[in-house]
Amino acid sequence: MKRMSANQHSNLPADEVIRSFLLGRLDAAAQEEFEARLMMDDRLHEVVRQAELKLADDAASGRIERSERQLFARNFLLTDERRQIVAVSEALHEKFAPSDTPRVRMSWREMFRQPALRVAFGLLVALLLVGSFLIVTKQPRIVRTFFPRPIPIRRAPISQPQEVHHPTNQTAPLHRESDSSPLEHESTPPNSAFEAVVTVSPSVDLNQAPTIALPSGGNGAIRCQLTLSQTETNEFQVELWSLNQNVFVIDSAKPNGSQLEVDVPVRVLKAGDYEIRVSRVHDGSRQPVATYYFGVR
Amino acid sequence: MSPAKQLRTLDQADFDRLLRWLDPDYHTAGSLYEKIRWRLIAILASRGCHVPEELADETIDRVARRVIDIRDTYVGDKSIYFLGVMNNVHHEYLKRRPQPHAVEPAPDAEAKERLYACLDRCLDKLSPHARQIIERYYAENRSAKITLRKRIAAELGVSASNLRLRALRIREKLQVCISQCLET
């Protein structure tokens, strides 16, 4: 059992242990010990509060590692109070440390109030217009390279009604049940409720991950079929991450044999790479099971 | 506990009884209540729970309803009783099938502007000395920060860790002030 290492000058847990608690990375025994102590110890309460502020400051100034950043988003930014603490840290850094990360806080409207920028933008637009005009009039070939003349599409004559009961092909006719049986969901390929279906397995890394086109609209869902290494009956927690941000969570997903199906609403997706983390939750602790990748374009 | 009982909202009598159980002095009890709630939220968040505030309040509600039965017999630290109830509440939450939820969106430009206005207002309320500490604590870029903090600490005649403590205490006051400002 990993015990809590103590602070050098007091019997409080070390700063690193407190940080690990805030990031949710203590092992089960240390977590239990820490929780009991935090409930009773006013001094530890105060120190943890300060560690929260320190962690928020570190995150705001980019002083946390990549692995910590993911834990920070997953286990720290879970309360309104903490989100506000981080927002204040960011504001303080922006206000007093402008040289650290130069940020453009000027809006487009403010930018166009500056005469020099206004003139420069006007000149650029005029230059583009004159250039385009010259190309169109003097070099029509170049224009045709990019915009070929449209080929008139000849409409195919409308065919006679086909004999649906006497197909001419050799394959058996596709039979669709109008009312879905309970097993349909498990055995059939995508139906119209899903904009797309993507099947991913844990052995595939990001470079070889499947990519799907983002469907227009945004009301539907993408069904992700996650291949598990073995047949499972337990429930899992599934998290969808974009580059560094947790965008979607399903706290309890039940697998179908060796496959776990997760429906992700299209509205939470944007073009980019995504990571799906599947964990087993048992007695309050989470055990990672597999990671999957896919891309959206 | 039956579902019907679970749905019953916490009434004022239960809540007052809870406060009296925590401490006979109303203000001390209020402060203890706030501390316990904050600790429950911190623990639930550390466990990766996505609704820590909700479960902490559910825990407090359950304890409040049980006070009438346990107040004469319970021996030991009362905070630990809350932890035990919270473990049950969390366990039940993990067994339920909650709806998937999207993560909070980033604050919009208007919210950011309000935050900046409150920050300015709260900075103005600090004493000149406290403002100087906070200003210099957050100043300079990352690489120069440690050197700068050592210099400030030397100027103020305190150790670097003491300076950090002072800065964090001022930062804590700022946070409270900004929260109150944003609520108004």
Side-chain angles (χ1 to χ4, degrees):
Chain A
M1 180 171 130
K2 186 187 163 190
R3 308 295 295 182
M4 284 191 286
S5 51
N7 204 314
Q8 269 189 322
H9 304 291
S10 66
N11 58 358
L12 286 169
D15 289 350
E16 186 45 42
V17 175
I18 296 170
R19 196 178 173 97
S20 294
F21 168 75
L22 292 173
L23 292 170
R25 65 177 174 202
L26 286 178
D27 64 45
Q31 175 80 17
E32 197 181 328
E33 192 181 343
F34 195 99
E35 287 177 358
R37 183 151 179 206
L38 178 62
M39 286 308 292
M40 295 186 291
D41 190 336
D42 283 352
R43 178 81 190 107
L44 180 60
H45 175 115
E46 198 185 324
V47 172
V48 173
R49 269 201 98 103
Q50 284 164 359
E52 263 191 347
L53 297 170
K54 174 85 175 56
L55 185 58
D57 278 349
D58 287 351
S61 61
R63 273 179 294 156
I64 57 173
E65 291 163 18
R66 190 161 182 257
S67 58
E68 281 190 333
R69 215 174 302 154
Q70 289 175 343
L71 290 170
F72 181 81
R74 192 196 296 177
N75 295 338
F76 186 81
L77 285 179
L78 291 175
T79 68
D80 292 337
E81 191 194 12
R82 284 180 178 175
R83 280 189 282 270
Q84 200 183 75
I85 286 174
V86 175
V88 172
S89 284
E90 283 170 353
L92 280 164
H93 278 277
E94 217 164 294
K95 193 173 178 68
F96 297 126
S99 58
D100 188 7
T101 45
R103 295 182 193 190
V104 181
R105 297 201 64 234
M106 203 186 274
S107 68
W108 282 101
R109 205 177 293 169
E110 282 170 330
M111 256 168 88
F112 279 99
R113 278 194 200 123
Q114 297 188 12
L117 281 173
R118 240 193 261 180
V119 171
F121 186 73
L123 278 172
L124 185 71
V125 171
L127 207 67
L128 282 171
L129 283 173
V130 171
S132 309
F133 178 75
L134 285 174
I135 289 172
V136 169
T137 52
K138 306 281 179 195
Q139 297 289 337
R141 260 191 222 164
I142 297 175
V143 178
R144 251 180 252 133
T145 315
F146 294 104
F147 303 103
R149 281 191 186 142
I151 301 161
I153 300 164
R154 192 179 293 164
R155 282 185 182 278
I158 297 166
S159 58
Q160 292 295 313
Q162 284 180 357
E163 216 33 87
V164 289
H165 298 297
H166 300 94
T168 51
N169 60 353
Q170 296 296 311
T171 55
L174 187 70
H175 176 69
R176 278 187 183 275
E177 289 284 350
S178 55
D179 57 334
S180 58
S181 67
L183 283 171
E184 186 185 32
H185 170 71
E186 293 165 9
S187 56
T188 56
N191 59 33
S192 58
F194 308 107
E195 299 283 354
V197 176
V198 58
T199 306
V200 276
S201 56
S203 54
V204 175
D205 66 13
L206 185 57
N207 297 328
Q208 292 155 346
T211 305
I212 50 160
L214 191 64
S216 56
N219 292 324
I222 303 272
R223 170 157 288 185
C224 298
Q225 295 177 327
L226 313 174
T227 311
L228 299 168
S229 56
Q230 60 187 47
T231 302
E232 295 273 2
T233 51
N234 293 324
E235 292 185 348
F236 294 98
Q237 186 188 59
V238 180
E239 290 172 298
L240 178 70
W241 288 73
S242 64
L243 187 62
N244 282 322
Q245 201 187 1
N246 187 201
V247 289
F248 189 70
V249 178
I250 296 174
D251 285 311
S252 179
K254 198 166 173 57
N256 172 19
S258 61
Q259 201 169 62
L260 193 61
E261 289 184 338
V262 179
D263 298 337
V264 180
V266 170
R267 68 186 154 77
V268 303
L269 295 172
K270 291 186 282 192
D273 294 327
Y274 285 88
E275 187 179 319
I276 300 175
R277 296 176 193 162
V278 175
S279 316
R280 192 178 282 118
V281 179
H282 183 68
D283 280 343
S285 65
R286 191 170 30 204
Q287 183 194 356
V289 173
T291 305
Y292 304 81
Y293 298 97
F294 72 95
V296 173
R297 63 178 158 78
Chain B
M1 186 182 284
S2 73
K5 271 187 178 173
Q6 272 184 355
L7 285 172
R8 190 162 61 96
T9 51
L10 184 68
D11 61 32
Q12 189 62 40
D14 285 336
F15 188 68
D16 289 343
R17 205 174 291 120
L18 172 76
L19 291 181
R20 276 198 303 276
W21 182 59
L22 288 174
D23 199 280
D25 177 70
Y26 194 77
H27 291 289
T28 312
S31 154
L32 272 170
Y33 165 83
E34 287 296 337
K35 274 184 192 170
I36 288 169
R37 186 174 183 273
W38 186 90
R39 290 168 189 180
L40 294 175
I41 292 171
I43 290 169
L44 286 160
S46 175
R47 291 183 185 183
C49 169
H50 288 271
V51 283
E53 286 125 327
E54 204 179 289
L55 295 198
D57 289 338
E58 168 66 23
T59 302
I60 292 168
D61 286 4
R62 284 196 195 181
V63 174
R65 285 188 208 118
R66 283 183 204 167
V67 165
I68 198 160
D69 302 320
I70 60 161
R71 62 185 169 186
D72 297 328
T73 51
Y74 184 78
V75 183
D77 195 307
K78 288 160 189 162
S79 309
I80 291 298
Y81 186 77
F82 281 86
L83 184 61
V85 175
M86 190 209 73
N87 281 333
N88 292 339
V89 170
H90 188 223
H91 193 67
E92 285 167 25
Y93 166 77
L94 289 175
K95 281 205 290 188
R96 283 200 300 263
R97 247 182 195 275
Q99 290 295 311
H101 46 87
V103 170
E104 288 284 312
D108 56 21
E110 200 184 317
K112 222 173 168 186
E113 286 305 319
R114 273 197 317 137
L115 179 77
Y116 271 83
C118 283
L119 173 64
D120 286 338
R121 203 181 297 171
C122 292
L123 282 169
D124 288 343
K125 283 182 188 170
L126 292 178
S127 70
H129 183 65
R131 177 160 174 136
Q132 194 191 14
I133 289 179
I134 209 89
E135 216 169 286
R136 296 186 69 180
Y137 184 80
Y138 285 97
E140 295 299 319
N141 60 34
R142 250 176 275 170
S143 52
K145 214 161 222 167
I146 295 165
T147 327
L148 182 85
R149 283 180 186 170
K150 276 184 186 162
R151 211 175 66 215
I152 305 168
E155 280 172 24
L156 295 170
V158 294
S159 67
S161 61
N162 199 306
L163 173 76
R164 192 184 85 166
L165 205 65
R166 279 193 198 187
L168 286 174
R169 279 193 184 138
I170 300 165
R171 168 78 171 80
E172 215 168 349
K173 277 186 195 166
L174 260 182
Q175 191 69 45
V176 173
C177 173
I178 291 168
S179 299
Q180 285 167 351
C181 171
L182 288 171
E183 277 168 19
T184 53

